[in-house]
């Protein structure tokens, strides 16, 4: 099992390098988040108390812009800019492997749970920009983007993330 995971991680790195070379480099779009920079996402379960993180704080972390699409036809191709979940967790001295499950909650009441297997096998981005532009009003403050996955997981209007450690 460990050998299979190591092979999977190596192939993911090779795929990312190939993607960067094909796209002429991996840059990050400079998204104007001024309309929602102070909007908060509440992180629960990673500290003794809930932690509020603003979109401006997310943007100040190491961000990536990636071109991807969902495996369902609902959304199609997108170029998303945001923070990968592992980068966010590093800020709190955690890794994706430390997390048993995550539940993303949107302002519209929609929520999506994810197990440790899913979390560790996928890159999960908290996107604050799509296609080089700020998010539309019906998606702010951020949107979950999981490359090459079903768009049902691409929750929008994320206002809370509950972690089980």
């Amino acid at each position: 099992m460990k050998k299979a995971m190591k092979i999977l991680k190596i192939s993911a790195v090779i795929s990312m390098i190939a993607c960067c070379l094909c796209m002429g480099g991996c840059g990050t779009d400079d998204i104007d988040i001024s309309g929602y920079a102070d909007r908060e996402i509440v992180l629960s379960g990673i500290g003794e108390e809930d932690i509020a993180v603003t979109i401006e704080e997310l943007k100040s972390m190491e961000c990536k812009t990636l071109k991807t699409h969902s495996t369902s036809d609902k959304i199609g191709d997108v170029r998303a800019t945001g923070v990968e979940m592992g980068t966010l967790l590093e800020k709190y001295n955690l890794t994706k492997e430390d997390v048993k499950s995550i539940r993303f909650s949107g302002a519209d009441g929609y929520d999506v749970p994810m197990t440790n297997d899913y979390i560790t096998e996928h890159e999960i981005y908290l996107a604050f920009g799509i296609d080089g532009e700020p998010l539309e009003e019906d998606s702010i403050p951020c949107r979950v983007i999981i490359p090459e996955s079903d768009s049902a997981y691409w929750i929008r209007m994320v206002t809370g993330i509950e972690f089980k450690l």
Side-chain angles (χ1 to χ4, degrees):
M1 183 66 151
K2 287 184 180 183
K3 186 175 183 177
M5 287 302 293
K6 188 173 184 176
I7 291 170
L8 184 62
K9 286 180 182 180
I10 290 170
S11 75
V13 168
I14 291 169
S15 295
M16 284 177 42
I17 292 169
C19 175
C20 289
L21 292 173
C22 290
M23 291 174 56
C26 289
T28 298
D29 290 337
D30 186 21
I31 307 297
D32 176 11
I33 60 166
S34 60
Y36 52 98
D38 61 345
R39 298 282 297 268
E40 296 179 338
I41 300 169
V42 176
L43 310 178
S44 61
I46 59 173
E48 292 190 25
E49 294 185 17
D50 290 351
I51 301 166
V53 176
T54 65
I55 300 306
E56 185 171 26
E57 289 174 301
L58 285 181
K59 188 177 180 187
S60 72
M61 296 177 193
E62 180 184 336
C63 297
K64 294 181 183 176
T65 296
L66 66 146
K67 186 174 181 178
T68 190
H69 67 275
S70 68
T71 56
S72 61
D73 293 329
K74 297 176 188 173
I75 294 180
D77 292 335
V78 298
R79 194 174 78 246
T81 301
V83 175
E84 204 278 324
M85 181 59 63
T87 301
L88 175 65
L89 288 168
E90 282 177 16
K91 181 176 178 172
Y92 302 101
N93 298 315
L94 296 168
T95 67
K96 293 194 303 187
E97 289 77 12
D98 296 324
V99 179
K100 292 180 183 173
S101 67
I102 296 176
R103 179 175 301 276
F104 292 95
S105 300
D108 59 355
Y110 187 69
D111 67 51
V112 174
M114 295 178 195
T115 63
N116 177 270
D117 288 342
Y118 194 85
I119 297 162
T120 56
E121 291 173 8
H122 293 84
E123 291 182 328
I124 301 169
Y125 288 88
L126 299 174
F128 49 79
I130 299 290
D131 296 330
E133 299 293 329
L135 294 178
E136 294 180 5
E137 186 67 31
D138 67 352
S139 290
I140 62 173
C142 83
R143 180 175 196 134
V144 172
I145 300 290
I146 305 170
E148 311 302 323
S149 70
D150 190 303
S151 62
Y153 290 107
W154 293 22
I155 185 171
R156 57 193 180 94
M157 298 186 283
V158 176
T159 55
I161 307 173
E162 179 184 353
F163 296 88
K164 299 280 187 198
L165 304 179

